[in-house]
Amino acid sequence: MVAAALAEAITYPAVGAELDIEHVSHAFDIDGAVLPVLEDVSLAIKPGEFVALLGPSGCGKSTLLRLVAGLEKPRSGVLREDDIRINGPHPSRVVVFQDPTLFPWRSVWDNVALGLEAQGILKSQRQRVDTAIDLVGLSAFRKAYPHQLSGGMAQRVALARALVNDPKVLILDEPLGKLDSLTRITMQAEIVSLWQRKGFTTLLVTHDAEEALFLANRVIVLSDRPARVKADVKVDRPYPRHRGDPYLADLRRQILGLLGLDATW
Amino acid sequence: MSTYSVSDASAAAGQAAAGVSPGWLEKLRSGGYGAGLATGAAWLAFGASCLYWEDLGDWSRTNGVAIGAFLIAALALLGTLGADFLGGAGVALRRRAPWLVALGSFLTLWEIATAKFGWLPLPFFPPPQAIVEVYTDDLPKLFNSVIASVKLQLGGYIIGAAIGFLTGVSIGWSQKVGYWVHPVLRFIGPLPATAWLPFAFFTFPSSWSASTFLIALATGFPVTVLTWSGVASVPNAYYDVARTLGAKPSFLVLKVAIPAALPHVFVGLFMGLGSSFAVLVVAEMIGVKAGLGWYLQWAQGWAAYANMYAALIVMSLLCSGAITVLFKTRDRLLVWQKGVVKW
Ligand SMILES: Nc1ncnc2c1ncn2[C@@H]1O[C@H](COP(=O)(O)OP(=O)(O)OP(=O)(O)O)[C@@H](O)[C@H]1O
Ligand SMILES: [Mg+2]
């Protein structure tokens, strides 16, 4: 019901963008030593695709997302959005970071309004903020400050702050990691229904193979640092999916095997 | 209702009992009126001490002070009985009652030790009525001094705070500006502003502009440094968030860096206020022939010690008032983060 309200309020039909990641390598300098983080990563992501990135902790998933967002430039290789080279951040590619990083001096409403305000379109689009807050179920907390929210609520505000911009590419860095399992399941369903309706391209980092399989068209399994693409698994299953689906369970076993876990699960 | 003091708790206990018998009677028994009664007693004692013994010296306001003390005693007693009907004022009165007791007792002792028995050497320790006499008889001069001080302080402080804030934001934001300003700041900043006094007084066209400069300098340094460190310590994640949402550099400065740095800025403003008070008083004593600093100097020169104490009391009220205003502003602006510096 809230989802329908959002569809009404956001009148711009957003179409997902195509993403091309071509031979991207990246490294960091730590105390003079070079730490390679990404090694020759290539991915072609079709418009509107839902891609999940799975990989061991510290392998470079967040780094890859930062490159796609344009917050950092790769040491080598090229990233393109709709055939245009990514040179810096752009509101068509919105990130939900691993930490909610809400601005503590802004109320929930003002935090969600951030993107519209930065782009100078807040005045005419205020109802989009309200709808986004409704969508994540925080209408009662519009005026609250971030220190008055729980961790999960803060993460939901961060999600609303991204969605309100109607992005072409939604970049999610473990956005549900801090939620309780109940809210998590609800939010997963919300993300799928939103993605289906809006058609944005989604790039999701998660630790949870089951979550990846429940949500994504494609699961990319990354190796240990420096990250390489280890496997590219198509999840050819209609939505809404069922968690007990034996096909998904099978894929899950495969993926966990790739991640180095024995198939005893 | 407030939950901070013991007297509140006892008041609440009294109120709880009020259902049984008349509230005031119950409270009288349980000692809930203790602080109020003690306040009345202390101020009665002060008034009585004024009248009971002969003054050692020739002070014209002794009777007036006594009447004032009795009035306060009467108000305290009335206030105690009526506190329940006074709402917020009643609660405030109750909370301050212990202090009123202490003040009344202190004044009684002071009165006896100075005006009545001369235990403290007299010209240096004037009795309360001598100070009251200053407020009634020398009011115009004192008032003009206050106006002069406030004007000078406000002008210098606002200029210094504004320049300090802008400088701090610039060096926090731009490495180029930082490259040039930082060494200058390192070199000049730690110098006490009063060290510039001789320079300022012969370089500036008037002693007033010289003092304004000094006060601005004393304010500007801490405000600059703290604004700068505030801006520099803004987590990069904030900028990342804003940039991915389409923020331009001006937005990053105005809507991210500055609000995030504001708690630091207020610490700087607070420190600047303290050091600028010191400069104000010195500048007034040495250069400007007006203001409370000058009044103090003048009073000391004429051995008018009562005037000196009177001016000191006014000065401390002004300074603490200024800080209160600053902190109220901060609490209003930073509702999201209360109590960085306690006052
Ligand atoms: N700004 C940086 N400077 C130096 N090293 C960095 C920086 N950012 C990340 N790294 C290093 O790069 C590696 C990959 O980090 P990244 O945050 O991409 O991991 P991740 O896959 O997202 O891990 P997790 O699942 O735990 O979030 C880590 O070893 C980290 O130490
Ligand atoms: Mg990460």
Side-chain angles (χ1 to χ4, degrees):
Chain A
M1 50 321 60
V2 257
L6 186 88
E8 250 167 60
I10 299 175
T11 46
Y12 307 102
V15 181
E18 186 180 335
L19 281 177
D20 284 305
I21 301 170
E22 293 169 11
H23 304 292
V24 164
S25 298
H26 198 59
F28 290 108
D29 294 317
I30 296 182
D31 272 340
V34 177
L35 179 79
V37 174
L38 298 174
E39 196 177 278
D40 195 25
V41 175
S42 290
L43 276 177
I45 299 171
K46 291 198 279 294
E49 214 169 9
F50 198 133
V51 175
L53 296 174
L54 265 176
S57 177
C59 75
K61 303 182 294 292
S62 297
T63 307
L64 184 58
L65 293 192
R66 287 178 66 83
L67 296 177
V68 173
L71 290 169
E72 253 164 88
K73 293 205 163 61
R75 293 250 168 132
S76 70
V78 183
L79 295 107
R80 289 201 182 82
E81 178 192 13
D82 281 342
D83 292 329
I84 299 164
R85 197 177 173 136
I86 294 173
N87 274 322
H90 189 274
S92 69
R93 282 170 271 124
V94 178
V95 189
V96 179
F97 292 91
Q98 207 161 356
D99 288 320
T101 28
L102 303 178
F103 291 0
W105 60 91
R106 283 176 168 245
S107 64
V108 165
W109 198 94
D110 289 330
N111 264 292
V112 174
L114 198 69
L116 301 182
E117 193 183 332
Q119 293 156 51
I121 52 171
L122 179 59
K123 276 223 176 83
S124 54
Q125 311 273 322
R126 300 177 68 85
Q127 83 287 356
R128 280 168 67 177
V129 179
D130 293 320
T131 333
I133 294 174
D134 289 345
L135 181 73
V136 295
L138 288 175
S139 347
F141 289 88
R142 262 159 235 241
K143 295 209 173 90
Y145 283 93
H147 73 265
Q148 296 163 319
L149 303 177
S150 72
M153 285 156 79
Q155 197 54 271
R156 274 142 74 196
V157 175
L159 196 60
R161 180 177 63 186
L163 292 176
V164 78
N165 297 287
D166 222 6
K168 288 183 171 179
V169 179
L170 184 62
I171 301 169
L172 303 166
D173 196 349
E174 294 184 50
L176 310 181
K178 284 185 184 154
L179 301 185
D180 62 285
S181 56
L182 217 63
T183 320
R184 196 182 163 106
I185 289 168
T186 325
M187 290 302 296
Q188 284 172 352
E190 284 290 2
I191 288 176
V192 167
S193 90
L194 212 84
W195 163 71
Q196 285 186 306
R197 228 161 348 93
K198 313 297 299 178
F200 46 66
T201 309
T202 310
L203 207 52
L204 168 84
V205 162
T206 173
H207 273 135
D208 182 353
E210 190 177 2
E211 179 173 280
L213 289 168
F214 185 71
L215 297 175
N217 297 138
R218 242 171 111 186
V219 178
I220 309 290
V221 182
L222 296 173
S223 70
D224 222 332
R225 191 183 58 238
R228 279 165 282 106
V229 177
K230 210 171 181 182
D232 186 338
V233 182
K234 288 253 171 328
V235 189
D236 199 4
R237 224 50 186 165
Y239 298 90
R241 290 178 181 163
H242 299 283
R243 277 161 220 276
D245 189 336
Y247 175 81
L248 294 183
D250 194 42
L251 277 181
R252 180 161 173 263
R253 210 167 300 120
Q254 265 180 13
I255 287 171
L256 289 178
L258 283 167
L259 287 171
L261 293 166
D262 283 331
T264 50
W265 302 80
Chain B
M1 94 174 235
S2 150
T3 52
Y4 297 111
S5 73
V6 181
S7 60
D8 276 346
S10 60
Q15 264 158 11
V20 191
S21 60
W24 61 271
L25 198 69
E26 200 52 45
K27 241 182 251 177
L28 198 60
R29 278 199 211 115
S30 69
Y33 288 138
L37 294 178
T39 307
W43 286 84
L44 271 178
F46 176 41
S49 71
C50 289
L51 300 180
Y52 187 74
W53 294 285
E54 278 296 309
D55 276 348
L56 287 178
D58 181 23
W59 293 294
S60 56
R61 302 288 166 194
T62 311
N63 291 340
V65 169
I67 292 170
F70 291 142
L71 255 166
I72 291 175
L75 282 177
L77 292 174
L78 278 178
T80 309
L81 294 174
D84 297 337
F85 309 105
L86 290 175
V91 172
L93 188 67
R94 232 176 236 151
R95 196 157 56 204
R96 288 178 178 79
W99 260 107
L100 290 173
V101 178
L103 199 62
S105 317
F106 171 73
L107 286 171
T108 312
L109 274 178
W110 183 11
E111 177 71 29
I112 294 172
T114 55
K116 307 304 179 185
F117 295 100
W119 295 331
L120 295 170
L122 244 189
F124 307 109
F125 294 96
Q129 53 263 48
I131 290 170
V132 169
E133 194 175 329
V134 174
Y135 290 134
T136 54
D137 296 15
D138 203 21
L139 192 62
K141 196 150 136 222
L142 203 53
F143 185 71
N144 287 336
S145 301
V146 168
I147 297 289
S149 284
V150 169
K151 259 195 198 158
L152 187 57
Q153 167 70 25
L154 216 57
Y157 185 72
I158 288 173
I159 293 172
I163 292 177
F165 177 73
L166 292 177
T167 316
V169 171
S170 318
I171 55 181
W173 186 255
S174 153
Q175 290 195 339
K176 246 182 226 153
V177 179
Y179 175 82
W180 289 107
V181 179
H182 186 200
V184 179
L185 212 61
R186 280 290 271 273
F187 186 63
I188 290 175
L191 214 57
T194 38
W196 290 89
L197 239 132
F199 161 81
F201 276 105
F202 70 72
T203 327
F204 279 81
S206 64
S207 58
W208 183 83
S209 55
S211 312
T212 304
F213 165 76
L214 292 175
I215 292 168
L217 199 66
T219 310
F221 177 59
V223 174
T224 306
V225 171
L226 276 137
T227 305
W228 167 32
S229 81
V231 170
S233 64
V234 177
N236 273 327
Y238 288 173
Y239 296 127
D240 287 347
V241 165
R243 283 169 63 213
T244 55
L245 293 173
K248 291 168 194 62
S250 62
F251 188 91
L252 295 183
V253 177
L254 297 174
K255 301 283 178 118
V256 182
I258 290 177
L262 226 44
H264 287 254
V265 175
F266 270 98
V267 177
L269 286 171
F270 170 69
M271 287 164 55
L273 202 56
S275 52
S276 67
F277 285 148
V279 175
L280 171 75
V281 175
V282 175
E284 282 176 344
M285 282 179 169
I286 293 180
V288 198
K289 295 279 169 261
L292 283 170
W294 166 80
Y295 189 96
L296 274 178
Q297 181 94 334
W298 165 87
Q300 197 241 344
W302 288 94
Y305 294 104
N307 296 59
M308 212 178 73
Y309 286 105
L312 270 179
I313 291 171
V314 172
M315 203 183 267
S316 94
L317 286 178
L318 282 178
C319 294
S320 105
I323 288 175
T324 304
V325 168
L326 183 69
F327 276 60
K328 285 261 189 283
T329 315
R330 183 204 62 182
D331 287 346
R332 179 158 291 206
L333 239 57
L334 306 185
V335 270
W336 54 275
Q337 187 194 341
K338 271 196 175 167
V340 193
V341 182
K342 291 272 181 219
W343 173 246

